[in-house]
Amino acid sequence: MRRLHKEYWHRYGSDPVPVGKVEASLVPWDAPDAAALMGGLASVSLLWPSHAYMDRDEADAVARRVVAALGPGACWWSNRDDGGVDGVTGATMDTFVAGSDGDRFVVLIQVQED
C-alpha cells in the first residue's frame, strides 16, 4: 500500500492533503443519500459519465446492503454537498462517502485525473 501511495503521488506531483483538510471536508449525509452516492460512485466515472464501471442497479443494491450492514445508528459523511465537492486528493476530481457504526467503517472513494 505504501508503494502504491508513493507511486501515485509522485506521478501526479501532489502531496497528500493534510488530515485537517479531509476532516474539514466532511459533510454529514443520511443513510439513503449515502447509499445513492455509493451506487453512483461504484457505477459511473466522475470524469467520463458515459463510462460505466458496473450496472447501476447492481451498484445500488450493493450500496444498500453496505448501509444495512452498518445499521440505523451509523453516521455517514461525504466531501460532496449541495454546492459542490471539496477535493481531498489533489487529483482533478474526487468524491468519497464514508460511514461508521462506531466499530466498523466503510469508505468508497473515486479519484479521476484528466
Side-chain angles (χ1 to χ4, degrees), residues 58-74:
E58 181 181 0
D60 285 342
V62 170
R64 286 190 300 271
R65 286 196 303 269
V66 168
V67 168
L70 288 185

Side-chain angles (χ1 to χ4, degrees), residues 18-106:
V19 171
K21 181 168 173 33
V22 175
E23 184 178 12
S25 77
L26 296 175
V27 176
W29 280 56
D30 64 20
D33 289 340
L37 179 57
M38 281 190 287
L41 291 174
S43 62
V44 178
S45 168
L46 291 171
L47 191 58
W48 305 106
S50 61
H51 177 75
Y53 296 122
M54 66 186 298
D55 177 73
R56 179 61 193 251
D57 290 338
E58 181 181 0
D60 285 342
V62 170
R64 286 190 300 271
R65 286 196 303 269
V66 168
V67 168
L70 288 185
C75 296
W76 294 93
W77 304 270
S78 178
N79 64 329
R80 181 183 285 183
D81 65 17
D82 292 335
V85 175
D86 190 6
V88 296
T89 64
T92 302
M93 301 177 89
D94 65 52
T95 299
F96 74 85
V97 60
S100 177
D101 65 1
D103 293 318
R104 301 169 296 164
F105 69 93
V106 63

